C-alpha cells in the first residue's frame, strides 16, 4: 500500500511529481467554473431567494414523489437488490464541476472500486445549477467506465432548477412537472416566483446522446425519487434529500421514521452532514424533531451517517448511549476543496482531537490555500507556506499533535503566523480573540468558494465500504491528481464498524 498524507509529504502529493493520466478522460474543451463570477452567482440565486422569501422545496419534492408514485414507483421507496451478504460499494460526494479535480478522482476510483456492486453520489451531482445538459461532461463521461449502477441524492445545487435534470437522469426520465398557478400578487411567494431561476426551454437536448456513455444494462439504476432506501446484503442504506436549505419536509420525515424501523443495520446518506467542522447540525424536520434524533434512536440501528455538501473528508465517532455511530463528511469527490485548516480544535459530543480524522490534513490545507492565494495575489513566496511551515504553525495555533509531523527545520515566524491568520486558520479556544472571528467567517464564506485549482495536489477523496454480516470496513481513499496516487490510491482513514 502506498504512503498516505499521514506518512510523508510525497504521500500527500507534494514535491516533484508526475501528473496523472486523468486528463486523457476529459473532453478537449473544459469550461472552468468560477464561483466568484457574477453570472454564476446570479444563476445560483435560488438558495438565497428561498432563505429570504420562503423555501418551496418541500412542496415541489412532494409533487415529484406523487408523480413517481403515479408512474409505478414502490410506495415505500425501497430498492431491493440481490447482493450477497459480503459485498462492497462506493460513496462519492459533491462531484459535478466537470473539471480537473473531478476527473482526477476517476482513475483511483476505478482501480480501488472497480469490483464494487454499486456507487452512491452524496449531494451536488451537477454544478452550478443542476442543468440536464451538464450531465454529459459532469456525470456520464467521467463515470462511463464504472460498470455498476450509480444511485444519487440531490444537493442544493441540483435543486437550483427545481430538480428537473436530476429526475430525468436518475428517475426513469421523469417528465417535467406541470406549472403551478401563479402566487397571489403582493406576497413574498409572488416576489420569489418572479426572481426564481428556471431551466432553459431547450435544456436537456443533448441528454439522449450523453446517456450512450453509460448505456450498458449493468450500469442502469432507476430509483423511486429524490429520496430512497436500498436493501443490500445485510444492511439498509437510506438516502435523504435535504433540499436547498438543509432541511427535511414533514412528508419525507414521516417516511424516514418508517423506513428506519427494524433491526436491520442502517447507514444514512444525506446532503447535509450532521457533524461538520467541529459542530453538530442535527437537521430539522418540518413539524418537529430532527434527522439526528432518528439516527440516535437505538431502535433504528444506525451505525453511520455520511453527508456531502462540504468538500473534504471528516469523521466523528460519537458515543450514543454506549454504542458508536460514525458521522462522516464525504464531499471530496470533485468540487473545489473546502479548507480543513479553519476547523477549530475538535471537542464536540465527546469527540476530541485524538478521535477526529480529516483529509486533507490541516497543514496540507493551509499550504494548499497559501500557494493558491500567493499566485492569485501575485505575492509568490512571500505568501506561500511550505507544507512543513504550514504544519508547524497549525500545531502552534491549535495546540494539537498534527497528523504528520512537521519536517525538520520548519520554523514558525511572524510571516507564517500572519499568513495563517489571514487565511482563517483556527486558534485554540483559550487564545481566540473577538476580532479574529470575522476573519475566519469572511474566509470560509466568501473566499473559499472561489478557490478552484487546476494543478495537483487536489486533495480529493472517495469512500469504499466493505460489508459483511459482522462488520463494515470504511476506507477513505485519496486522489491528488498525481500519477503515484492514481496507480496505488492511498488510504487516508480506515475504521471497522461492528454490526453485531
Amino acid at each position: 500500500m502506498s504512503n498516505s498524507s499521514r506518512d510523508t509529504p510525497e504521500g500527500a502529493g507534494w514535491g516533484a511529481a508526475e501528473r496523472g493520466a486523468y486528463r486523457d478522460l476529459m473532453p478537449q474543451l473544459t469550461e472552468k467554473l468560477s464561483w466568484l463570477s457574477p453570472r454564476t452567482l446570479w444563476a445560483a440565486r435560488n438558495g438565497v431567494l428561498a432563505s429570504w422569501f420562503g423555501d418551496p422545496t418541500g412542496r415541489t419534492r412532494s409533487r415529484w414523489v406523487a408523480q413517481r408514485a403515479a408512474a409505478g414507483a414502490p410506495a415505500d421507496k425501497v430498492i431491493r437488490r440481490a447482493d450477497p451478504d459480503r459485498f462492497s460499494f462506493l460513496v462519492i460526494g459533491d462531484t459535478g464541476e466537470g473539471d480537473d479535480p473531478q476527473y482526477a478522482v476517476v482513475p483511483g476510483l476505478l482501480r480501488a472500486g472497480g469490483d464494487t456492486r454499486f456507487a452512491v453520489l452524496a449531494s451536488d451531482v451537477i454544478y452550478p445549477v443542476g442543468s440536464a445538459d451538464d450531465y454529459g461532461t459532469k456525470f456520464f463521461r467521467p463515470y462511463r467506465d464504472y460498470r455498476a449502477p450509480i444511485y444519487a441524492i440531490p444537493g442544493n445545487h441540483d435543486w437550483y432548477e427545481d430538480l428537473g435534470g436530476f429526475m430525468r437522469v436518475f428517475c426513469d426520465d421523469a417528465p417535467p412537472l406541470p406549472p403551478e398557478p401563479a402566487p397571489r400578487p403582493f406576497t413574498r411567494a409572488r416576489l420569489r416566483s418572479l426572481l426564481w431561476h428556471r431551466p432553459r426551454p431547450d435544456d436537456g437536448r443533448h441528454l439522449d446522446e450523453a446517456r450512450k456513455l453509460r448505456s450498458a444494462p449493468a450500469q442502469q439504476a432507476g430509483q423511486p425519487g429524490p429520496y430512497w432506501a436500498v436493501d443490500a446484503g445485510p444492511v439498509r442504506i437510506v438516502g435523504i434529500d435535504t433540499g436547498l436549505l438543509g432541511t427535511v419536509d414533514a412528508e419525507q420525515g414521516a417516511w424516514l421514521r418508517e423506513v428506519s424501523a427494524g433491526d436491520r443495520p442502517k447507514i444514512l446518506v444525506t446532503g447535509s452532514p450532521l457533524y461538520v467542522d467541529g459542530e453538530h447540525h442535527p437537521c430539522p424536520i418540518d413539524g418537529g424533531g430532527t434527522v439526528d434524533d432518528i439516527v440516535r434512536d437505538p431502535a433504528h440501528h444506525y451505525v453511520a451517517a455520511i453527508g456531502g455538501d462540504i468538500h473534504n473528508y471528516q469523521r466523528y465517532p460519537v458515543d450514543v448511549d454506549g454504542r458508536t455511530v460514525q458521522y462522516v463528511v464525504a464531499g471530496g469527490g470533485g468540487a473545489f476543496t473546502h479548507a480543513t485548516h479553519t476547523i477549530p480544535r475538535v471537542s464536540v459530543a465527546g469527540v476530541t482531537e485524538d478521535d477526529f480524522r480529516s483529509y486533507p490534513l490541516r497543514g496540507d490545507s493551509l499550504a494548499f490555500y497559501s500557494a493558491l492565494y500567493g499566485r492569485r495575489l501575485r505575492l509568490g513566496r512571500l505568501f506561500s507556506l511550505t507544507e512543513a511551515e504550514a504544519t508547524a504553525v497549525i500545531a502552534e495555533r491549535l495546540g494539537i499533535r498534527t497528523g504528520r509531523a512537521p519536517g525538520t527545520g520548519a520554523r514558525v515566524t511572524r510571516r507564517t503566523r500572519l499568513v495563517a491568520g489571514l487565511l482563517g486558520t483556527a486558534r485554540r479556544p483559550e487564545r481566540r480573540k473577538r476580532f479574529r472571528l470575522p476573519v475566519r467567517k469572511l474566509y470560509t464564506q466568501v473566499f473559499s468558494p472561489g478557490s478552484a485549482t487546476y494543478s495537483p495536489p487536489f486533495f480529493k477523496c472517495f469512500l469504499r465500504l466493505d460489508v459483511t454480516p459482522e462488520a463494515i470496513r470504511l476506507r477513505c481513499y485519496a486522489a491528488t491528481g498525481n500519477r503515484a496516487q492514481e496507480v496505488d490510491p492511498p488510504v487516508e482513514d480506515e475504521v471497522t464498524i461492528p454490526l453485531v
Side-chain angles (χ1 to χ4, degrees), residues 176-204:
L177 292 175
E180 288 190 295
R184 291 179 299 171
F186 313 116
T187 62
R188 294 197 308 163
R190 176 68 169 176
L191 182 56
R192 182 189 65 215
S193 178
L194 291 173
L195 297 174
W196 200 251
H197 172 82
R198 294 179 175 85
R200 303 184 316 271
D202 62 344
D203 186 47

Side-chain angles (χ1 to χ4, degrees), residues 369-380 383 422-423 447:
Y369 273 101
S370 70
L372 176 63
Y373 283 107
R375 292 193 300 270
R376 290 190 174 183
L377 300 173
R378 299 188 178 182
L379 294 176
F383 202 84
L422 290 174
L423 289 178
F447 293 118

